[in-house]
């Protein structure tokens, strides 16, 4: 993709066309891919997103392309919490079970642009390697090349002649106000005083979609604005087949009013290597008012983590408190909770037990594997920057 920025960018976009399992771990679908119907594939993939733009395009893609490419990315910026660790493993396993290939973009240069780890690229690389260790340990299905980890610095350097003309063309076609509207993707607001590097960041992330030949952008709701920018860019260059946006839910923090878990705020997060006692204490202190469903983080963790992982939520109670109960659906759970039949005093220990069961293989991996243990020690020593 050499030549002028407009020609080179259009060339990259043209390629965006439609032409391990441990006990108790979720793997999306147990039915072999070649036996899934189109509707079954659609339902599996669609279940990953709180929002899909557009559903008819997703059906068409799954019908016409045997192995769609899904793109997700992350800044290596500190310890991993369960929203990033467990939920991403669940979503990736669903996508690969439906025949998708997932490209996970380790956005080291982006973390540096956003001043994570003080902009220290060596620290950022260490954090990236630690995150991959966690996904391997928790049960992300990486067999057969279904999941590919790509470091942004390496890939961009190797194909600079493709990448930078694309970034330049996106920047040229958008005004500053439109780019600043994307600042949420960096954990910033439009009112923040942004550095020049942070203005550059959205243009690069938009380019990533086409550079990675992604059919589906599978990121969180907080990344929605830049994914919409990618679809708008397709309109600008008269590209018919646009990347489909499949935005997953953002899990709230542990305390009341915390919209999402934060790596920099331990009170809001359960980390993937927290020991059993830490998990129990954090859930015990979590906001979970009796009979209140709305804004209840404990119920959200059950909905988005426990039920997809185990296909059930088991509450152990004394006979005086109603005896043991197994919930198979979230609707059944919230009905019982809203009525007062299920009390936080019984729900919280059951949630802690389920989370600890998911996290135990991760703890064991970081205890037994010397490389993983060293990475965790180094990451814990780093000061997390917002």
């Amino acid at each position: 993709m050499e030549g002028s920025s407009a020609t080179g960018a259009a060339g990259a976009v043209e390629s965006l066309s439609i032409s391990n399992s441990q006990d108790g771990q979720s793997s999306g679908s147990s039915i072999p891919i070649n036996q899934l119907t189109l509707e079954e594939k659609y339902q599996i993939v669609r279940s990953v997103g709180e929002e899909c733009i557009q559903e008819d395009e997703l059906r068409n893609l799954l019908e016409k392309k045997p192995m769609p490419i899904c793109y997700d990315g992350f800044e290596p910026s500190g310890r991993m919490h369960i929203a990033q660790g467990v939920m991403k493993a669940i979503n990736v396993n669903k996508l690969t079970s439906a025949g998708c290939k997932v490209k996970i973009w380790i956005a080291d240069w982006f973390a540096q642009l956003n001043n994570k780890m003080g902009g220290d690229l060596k620290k950022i690389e260490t954090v990236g390697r630690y995150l991959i260790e966690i996904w391997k340990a928790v049960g992300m299905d990486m067999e057969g090349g279904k999941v590919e980890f790509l470091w942004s610095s390496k890939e961009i350097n190797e194909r600079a002649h493709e990448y930078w003309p694309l970034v330049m063309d996106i920047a040229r076609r958008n005004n500053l106000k439109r780019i600043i509207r994307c600042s949420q993707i960096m954990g910033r607001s439009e009112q923040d005083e942004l550095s020049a590097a942070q203005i550059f960041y959205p243009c690069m992330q938009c380019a990533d979609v086409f550079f990675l030949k992604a059919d589906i952008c599978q990121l969180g709701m907080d990344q929605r604005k830049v994914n919409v920018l990618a679809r708008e860019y397709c309109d600008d260059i008269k590209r018919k087949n646009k990347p489909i946006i499949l935005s997953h839910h953002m899990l709230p923090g542990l305390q009341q009013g915390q919209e999402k878990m934060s790596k920099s705020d331990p009170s809001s997060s359960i980390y993937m290597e927290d020991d059993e006692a830490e998990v129990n204490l954090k859930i015990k202190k979590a906001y979970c008012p009796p009979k209140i469903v709305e804004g209840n983080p404990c119920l959200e963790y059950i909905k988005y983590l426990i039920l997809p992982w185990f296909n059930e939520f088991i509450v152990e109670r004394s006979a005086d408190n109603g005896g043991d109960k197994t919930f198979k659906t979230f609707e059944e759970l919230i009905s019982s909770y809203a009525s007062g039949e299920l009390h936080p005093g019984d729900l919280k220990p059951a949630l802690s037990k389920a989370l600890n069961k998911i996290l135990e293989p991760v703890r064991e991996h970081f205890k037994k594997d010397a490389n993983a243990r060293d990475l965790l020690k180094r990451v814990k020593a780093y000061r997390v920057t917002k």
Side-chain angles (χ1 to χ4, degrees):
M1 185 175 63
E2 297 173 354
S4 70
S5 62
T7 306
V13 180
E14 283 302 317
S15 65
L16 196 166
S17 65
I18 294 185
S19 44
N20 61 25
S21 223
Q22 299 170 25
D23 288 344
Q25 292 190 329
S26 168
S27 58
S29 168
S30 58
I31 305 171
I33 294 168
N34 59 6
Q35 293 180 23
L36 290 172
T37 66
L38 172 61
E39 182 59 26
E40 287 169 335
K41 285 183 180 180
Y42 172 79
Q43 291 298 335
I44 292 169
V45 174
R46 181 62 185 86
S47 72
V48 168
E50 183 171 283
E51 176 187 64
C52 177
I53 305 174
Q54 300 279 353
E55 290 183 338
D56 58 331
E57 294 175 16
L58 178 59
R59 284 185 187 276
N60 191 37
L61 172 71
L62 294 172
E63 181 180 16
K64 294 185 177 179
K65 190 165 185 178
M67 186 181 281
I69 294 173
C70 302
Y71 143 70
D72 195 357
F74 65 93
E75 284 184 358
S77 57
R79 291 176 68 191
M80 184 186 284
H81 49 57
I82 56 173
Q84 189 180 25
V86 178
M87 196 168 173
K88 192 183 292 290
I90 290 170
N91 289 343
V92 167
N93 288 359
K94 282 183 178 181
L95 293 168
T96 57
S97 76
C100 298
K101 175 167 182 159
V102 179
K103 292 184 177 182
I104 298 181
W105 192 234
I106 309 173
D108 52 350
W109 269 2
F110 293 77
Q112 187 178 42
L113 284 171
N114 204 14
N115 202 36
K116 296 299 174 71
M117 296 290 117
D120 187 325
L121 204 55
K122 288 185 177 179
K123 289 182 178 179
I124 291 167
E125 180 188 352
T126 298
V127 175
R129 288 164 53 210
Y130 146 83
L131 298 178
I132 294 172
E133 288 295 319
I134 287 185
W135 282 317
K136 288 194 298 188
V138 80
M140 185 181 284
D141 184 6
M142 302 179 188
E143 291 184 8
K146 291 179 285 191
V147 178
E148 188 176 10
F149 290 98
L150 300 167
W151 293 81
S152 68
S153 56
K154 179 177 181 291
E155 297 298 320
I156 292 170
N157 275 332
E158 288 182 354
R159 293 163 53 203
H161 63 289
E162 295 178 50
Y163 189 78
W164 293 115
L166 187 53
V167 174
M168 290 163 62
D169 195 49
I170 291 165
R172 187 176 64 83
R173 292 173 183 269
N174 287 278
N175 61 38
L176 191 56
K177 185 177 180 181
R178 177 67 183 91
I179 296 302
I180 290 174
R181 273 169 50 200
C182 294
S183 57
Q184 181 188 14
I185 66 173
M186 302 174 284
R188 314 290 172 180
S189 75
E190 294 180 41
Q191 286 72 44
D192 287 350
E193 185 175 340
L194 302 176
S195 68
Q198 288 165 331
I199 299 294
F200 205 46
Y201 187 121
C203 299
M204 291 174 64
Q205 185 168 327
C206 182
D208 293 343
V209 177
F210 307 107
F211 184 68
L212 296 172
K213 300 177 173 59
D215 300 298
I216 299 171
C217 300
Q218 204 293 285
L219 298 101
M221 286 294 293
D222 61 339
Q223 305 295 303
R224 183 183 186 277
K225 289 182 179 178
V226 76
N227 291 331
V228 170
L229 181 67
R231 288 179 63 89
E232 292 173 356
Y233 178 65
C234 290
D235 290 332
D236 289 341
I237 64 168
K238 307 295 189 291
R239 173 65 188 172
K240 182 181 177 183
N241 294 323
K242 302 176 183 179
I244 295 155
I245 304 172
L246 195 62
S247 304
H248 66 249
H249 180 72
M250 302 297 293
L251 281 184
L254 292 162
Q255 305 306 317
Q256 184 178 9
Q258 292 178 333
E259 292 185 359
K260 67 176 186 175
M261 288 192 179
S262 169
K263 297 183 186 75
S264 59
D265 181 4
S267 73
S268 78
S269 303
I270 293 173
Y271 297 117
M272 291 295 291
E273 348 74 25
D274 277 349
D275 64 32
E276 185 175 346
E278 287 175 313
V279 172
N280 293 343
L281 182 61
K282 287 181 178 182
I283 292 297
K284 185 178 181 180
K285 291 182 175 180
Y287 178 68
C288 189
K291 300 184 181 181
I292 303 297
V293 173
E294 195 70 28
N296 188 324
C298 291
L299 292 176
E300 289 219 21
Y301 303 160
I302 297 166
K303 178 180 181 180
Y304 290 100
L305 303 178
I306 308 305
L307 284 170
W309 197 275
F310 298 107
N311 296 312
E312 62 184 14
F313 177 58
I314 300 171
V315 177
E316 297 174 347
R317 302 182 292 194
S318 67
D320 291 343
N321 287 339
D324 296 352
K325 181 150 186 176
T326 299
F327 297 93
K328 294 288 188 180
T329 68
F330 187 65
E331 291 71 26
E332 183 187 4
L333 174 68
I334 58 173
S335 174
S336 180
Y337 192 81
S339 71
E341 192 273 329
L342 177 61
H343 189 270
D346 295 312
L347 180 143
K348 284 186 170 186
L351 173 57
S352 295
K353 185 174 181 178
L355 285 173
N356 278 314
K357 190 173 181 180
I358 294 171
L359 298 180
E360 188 55 31
V362 180
R363 296 182 192 125
E364 285 300 304
H365 179 66
F366 278 88
K367 284 178 186 174
K368 295 177 179 177
D369 187 284
N371 176 58
R373 191 166 60 246
D374 177 64
L375 287 170
L376 176 59
K377 181 181 178 181
R378 290 157 68 185
V379 170
K380 281 185 172 181
Y382 296 157
R383 177 177 172 272
V384 176
T385 52
K386 294 184 180 180

